Amino acid sequence: MVPPDLDRFPREANDISRAGNQISKKTLRVTLWVGVASAFFGAAAFGASAFGLIPSFETNNREKDEVRKEEAIENGPPVTISAGGSYYGPGIWVSEEDRTGQYHGVPFDQETLETDRPSWVWLEKHWVPLHLTGVSINVLSEHKKTTLVQGVEISNLACAKPFDGTLLQPPGIGDGGEEAIPVDMALNVDAARPVTRELNESGEPGRPFTKQIALEQGDQRGFVIKFFARTKSCTFNAHLIVSSNGKAYRLKLPATWKQGGKPDSYTFRVSAAPSSHTYRSTYYAGGGTVLEVPQDRFQWVTPNQPTYIP
């Protein structure tokens, strides 16, 4: 039998004690390092806040966003085009078809959006303006440098003989007036070389339009652009010619607008009167009801537009 080791338990006790001390010292060192790191990063964050470094980062980001927005604006179209309220449409409409007796006694509904009975949207869909058509727009300048509105060009022009089927004079709309006088432009679309012109005193295209309408950033100006046909019926597109930062832009003009001011169609239509100034059927709706009337109730005081004689 081996005699017991009298020093065993004291040695084990000492070993356990030393191991415990080593663990405690290691834990202490880890705790101290964690504390120092926390204090360092906490002080750094406090210092950044105290000296405005973090707000500076946010400010820089905001400034970069603003720069990007400004660059996007400067690289985009120089103006924004929206619907104006200065042009109330033609006074007379015509159709290629003979509509004898078709609408006599039918009310002209000035409020409906239906296109299958006499109304303004019905006219826009099924009829063509006689002699002149047009559009009213508001032009808002977007670029920092001065923008110049220089005129109008037409494209995709297709012309044929004038319509002589049916003539209709709708009810009057009236004029709401204008706070600012719009800029008037006019073109003879069936001319050998259509160019932008001024309106003369009789409301017809006059001398060439040579002005340049200057707009600074944020400026808005109203324009009324009228298109005339003297010998033919025509369809076409139109563009506003704008110059900015040494570059020319051709901005497409809407021909009609939806409810809410969104573009509806970009195709303009207009027809001249036939050389005989006669139609197969004629209607008048001045009293709110469409009535078929004799041809001689329309007198051609001017070569292009008749006047209804009650």
Side-chain angles (χ1 to χ4, degrees):
M1 182 176 181
V2 179
D5 185 354
L6 298 180
D7 295 330
R8 174 185 176 189
F9 295 107
R11 283 199 309 272
E12 290 178 351
N14 288 335
D15 292 341
I16 292 172
S17 177
R18 283 195 301 271
N21 288 337
Q22 291 175 353
I23 293 173
S24 298
K25 290 178 181 178
K26 183 176 181 181
T27 302
L28 179 60
R29 286 196 300 271
V30 172
T31 303
L32 288 173
W33 275 112
V34 171
V36 170
S38 299
F40 173 79
F41 289 111
F46 176 79
S49 300
F51 290 100
L53 295 179
I54 291 178
S56 177
F57 293 147
E58 295 175 354
T59 301
N60 289 338
N61 287 335
R62 285 197 299 269
E63 289 177 352
K64 289 179 180 178
D65 288 340
E66 291 298 324
V67 169
R68 282 193 290 267
K69 290 178 182 177
E70 290 180 2
E71 288 177 347
I73 291 173
E74 292 299 315
N75 291 329
V79 300
T80 298
I81 295 174
S82 60
S86 308
Y87 177 67
Y88 293 91
I92 307 288
W93 299 71
V94 294
S95 170
E96 191 173 13
E97 297 82 13
D98 179 7
R99 303 176 186 270
T100 301
Q102 191 171 351
Y103 300 112
H104 183 75
V106 178
F108 190 100
D109 191 339
Q110 300 198 48
E111 303 298 329
T112 186
L113 297 178
E114 297 179 18
T115 61
D116 59 352
R117 57 195 176 103
S119 63
W120 296 113
V121 293
W122 169 79
L123 278 175
E124 289 183 353
K125 182 174 181 180
H126 300 290
W127 298 71
V128 174
L130 174 67
H131 180 53
L132 76 123
T133 188
V135 64
S136 173
I137 59 173
N138 291 322
V139 177
L140 174 64
S141 179
E142 301 282 5
H143 285 184
K144 283 184 177 181
K145 293 186 178 180
T146 302
T147 295
L148 299 177
V149 181
Q150 299 173 311
V152 176
E153 287 183 357
I154 61 175
S155 63
N156 301 322
L157 178 65
C159 295
K161 68 177 184 177
F163 293 164
D164 61 357
T166 304
L167 179 146
L168 166 65
Q169 181 171 331
I173 299 178
D175 190 339
E178 287 296 318
E179 293 183 0
I181 298 175
V183 178
D184 289 318
M185 297 180 179
L187 288 90
N188 288 316
V189 300
D190 53 0
R193 181 173 175 265
V195 297
T196 308
R197 297 182 177 274
E198 298 179 2
L199 284 177
N200 59 25
E201 293 181 356
S202 62
E204 296 285 318
R207 60 187 182 184
F209 187 94
T210 57
K211 303 174 185 176
Q212 296 193 99
I213 309 302
L215 300 176
E216 304 301 329
Q217 188 176 40
D219 287 349
Q220 181 168 273
R221 189 75 185 269
F223 290 79
V224 175
I225 303 162
K226 295 181 179 180
F227 304 96
F228 294 77
R230 298 189 181 278
T231 62
K232 301 175 182 178
S233 63
C234 300
T235 61
F236 56 94
N237 300 129
H239 299 80
L240 189 69
I241 306 305
V242 178
S243 177
S244 178
N245 290 328
K247 181 179 178 181
Y249 295 80
R250 299 174 71 255
L251 306 176
K252 207 167 187 179
L253 291 173
T256 57
W257 304 86
K258 297 178 182 178
Q259 291 290 98
K262 299 294 184 181
D264 184 31
S265 168
Y266 291 94
T267 300
F268 290 88
R269 300 178 299 162
V270 64
S271 177
S275 59
S276 63
H277 293 154
T278 59
Y279 291 85
R280 292 189 288 275
S281 56
T282 51
Y283 288 90
Y284 174 73
T289 299
V290 181
L291 300 175
E292 187 169 15
V293 297
Q295 178 83 227
D296 60 8
R297 299 289 286 273
F298 289 94
Q299 295 186 6
W300 295 82
V301 179
T302 66
N304 303 300
Q305 283 277 28
T307 299
Y308 177 77
I309 305 299

